[in-house]
Amino acid sequence: MTGELQLCLVHRPKYDDWSWPKGKLRRGEDPLAGALREVAEETGHTAAPSAELPSTHYLAKGRPKRVRYWAAEAVAGSFTPNDEIDRVLWLPPDAARPRLTAPGDAALVDALLAVLRPAAP
């Protein structure tokens, strides 16, 4: 990868969508530990986390669901396709935003950029 910021999106063949790496917590699992585990499982990369980003909320099968996200840097690894995730894309923010399938996912691009490039006073 080059020195420019690249965001990792995953393709889920079950839903034929592009989204952020995410998943379900195991019973009693710390949310950040679960997020890092899911990133590793879905992308093949270990990640160094930084700031927490805004959560998303929606209904899944009639039940409220909250998904927590963190900014993180991929530090090592490589992707191997599997049944859950068959492709990953590393894209600059402006290309990642329209590729995300769920409209609410694009807002996380802006939240991440605000954390990485805070506005000047």
Side-chain angles (χ1 to χ4, degrees), residues 9-88:
L9 308 184
V10 297
H11 182 261
R12 302 180 303 169
K14 178 178 179 180
Y15 302 105
D16 191 24
D17 69 352
W18 287 96
S19 67
W20 302 110
K22 60 183 174 289
K24 295 183 175 110
L25 293 176
R26 294 177 177 156
R27 186 178 307 271
E29 187 174 35
D30 174 77
L32 178 55
L36 295 172
R37 176 185 52 76
E38 285 288 343
V39 166
E41 288 176 3
E42 294 189 356
T43 70
H45 288 80
T46 56
S50 60
E52 186 169 3
L53 301 174
S55 297
T56 59
H57 300 84
Y58 59 92
L59 291 177
K61 298 181 182 177
R63 296 176 59 190
K65 184 164 185 166
R66 176 183 181 207
V67 182
R68 294 174 68 181
Y69 295 93
W70 282 265
E73 181 178 358
V75 292
S78 63
F79 174 69
T80 301
N82 58 66
D83 290 341
E84 186 179 358
I85 305 296
D86 63 351
R87 292 179 279 165
V88 298

Side-chain angles (χ1 to χ4, degrees), residues 103-117:
D105 282 352
L108 284 170
V109 175
D110 298 323
L112 174 64
L113 293 176
V115 166
L116 298 178
R117 305 173 185 156

